[in-house]
Amino acid sequence: MNSELLMSDAAHFRIDYVINPYMDTSVQPDTRAAVSEHAAIAAAHVAAGRTVHRMASAPECPDMVYTANGAWVCGDRAVLGDPPAARAAEIPYFRSWLKENGIDVFDAPYSFSGQGDALACGDLLLAGHGQRTDRRMHDVLADLTGHEVVALRTAGEEWYDLDLAVAVIDEGTLAYHPGALEPESVGVLHSLGLDLIEVGTEEARAFALNLISDGRTVTMTTGAPRLAATLRERGFTVVELDTAQLRKGGGGVRCTALTLDNRLPA
């Protein structure tokens, strides 16, 4: 679980357009600080025993640092993302990297935010929709991977991807912000029989749920002390990292890595 990751870099990260509520072209990231933030995230993954693969960003792709949106990878198959038009130039780079690394690549027939809206939790696939992913993509993902898809509709543009609303801590534990999901989807989440950790609005808006966990170590942003404390109380190692620059584009720790070791269901 999240032990093998693909990361790009922040060398060309900037705000050229607005495709989520966090972006403002008048508030540009400090490139040097963003590169340092990204390097610290990668180093934390390595320190936790994870393998980090690298894919260089392209000058014409200022959001390529958010590799999670490039695809959904499961076993030896990948479904490419179908992002907003402003990010479409990223997808050929993901296609090339995945093919060169022996992964069968499929195009998304509908709008799809890649791993941003597809979170594996054991044999379940938590699949977001309502903002950037077409609900019809859920059937595509189920057919290609055999996962039982759990459809979760996010509650507005602030939660443009599911990975801002829900976090997989281990195969039996989720963290989530109720206000980030439509009421029916909150009910669906509660019906799964998983251990749920509720996160408040302030911490969720600080990208607390945009984290990566391998079931032992949780790598997350600073600014969410309640969630960090709860996870430590439950026996997890928690690593908190500054993501102030990366947040200017609407992303955090989870957004910067594409998981490559999602397994096929038993």
Side-chain angles (χ1 to χ4, degrees):
M1 175 180 169
N2 293 322
S3 64
E4 190 172 357
L5 305 168
L6 174 62
M7 298 185 72
S8 186
D9 58 69
H12 304 294
F13 175 48
R14 59 189 183 275
I15 313 300
D16 283 359
Y17 42 75
V18 174
I19 56 173
N20 66 58
Y22 305 95
M23 303 176 87
D24 183 340
T25 55
S26 69
V27 182
Q28 291 293 324
D30 180 306
T31 301
R32 181 176 296 180
V35 168
S36 295
E37 284 181 8
H38 190 269
I41 293 170
H45 292 321
V46 172
R50 303 165 190 157
T51 299
V52 175
H53 301 268
R54 304 282 186 166
M55 178 178 69
S57 66
E60 72 274 21
C61 298
D63 272 349
M64 203 165 171
V65 65
Y66 305 127
T67 54
N69 300 120
W72 155 248
V73 180
C74 185
D76 61 356
R77 294 182 171 187
V79 182
L80 292 170
D82 184 8
R87 294 187 63 180
E90 300 172 23
I91 301 306
Y93 293 100
F94 285 97
R95 183 192 305 276
S96 295
W97 192 94
L98 292 165
K99 283 187 172 182
E100 289 168 4
N101 284 272
I103 297 173
D104 291 332
V105 177
F106 297 83
D107 290 312
Y110 311 107
S111 298
F112 179 44
S113 202
Q115 191 175 273
D117 268 334
L119 302 175
C121 182
D123 286 350
L124 300 177
L125 179 61
L126 309 179
H129 67 108
Q131 308 302 320
R132 289 193 178 177
T133 294
D134 190 304
R135 175 68 177 79
R136 292 172 292 181
M137 275 303 302
H138 296 181
D139 291 335
V140 175
L141 298 172
D143 289 344
L144 282 172
T145 68
H147 277 282
E148 179 184 346
V149 172
V150 179
L152 298 171
R153 185 179 181 92
T154 53
E157 292 183 355
E158 184 177 13
W159 318 106
Y160 65 88
D161 273 352
L162 186 64
D163 65 5
L164 300 179
V166 177
V168 179
I169 308 302
D170 61 26
E171 292 190 359
T173 309
L174 301 176
Y176 79 111
H177 173 49
L181 299 172
E182 295 290 349
E184 182 178 351
S185 292
V186 173
V188 169
L189 210 57
H190 279 265
S191 74
L192 298 177
L194 301 175
D195 187 10
L196 300 179
I197 300 171
E198 188 170 315
V199 174
T201 303
E202 182 179 355
E203 292 198 355
R205 285 177 172 163
F207 289 63
L209 293 162
N210 198 245
L211 58 78
I212 292 179
S213 173
D214 56 25
R216 300 176 304 277
T217 300
V218 178
T219 309
M220 61 180 287
T221 188
T222 56
R226 293 182 186 85
L227 177 58
T230 297
L231 293 171
R232 290 189 176 105
E233 289 169 1
R234 290 168 176 250
F236 296 98
T237 298
V238 178
V239 179
E240 298 171 84
L241 300 167
D242 181 22
T243 59
Q245 301 305 313
L246 292 167
R247 289 186 209 177
K248 293 177 181 179
V253 174
R254 171 73 277 178
C255 290
T256 60
L258 175 65
T259 300
L260 299 175
D261 68 334
N262 293 312
R263 61 175 176 80
L264 293 169

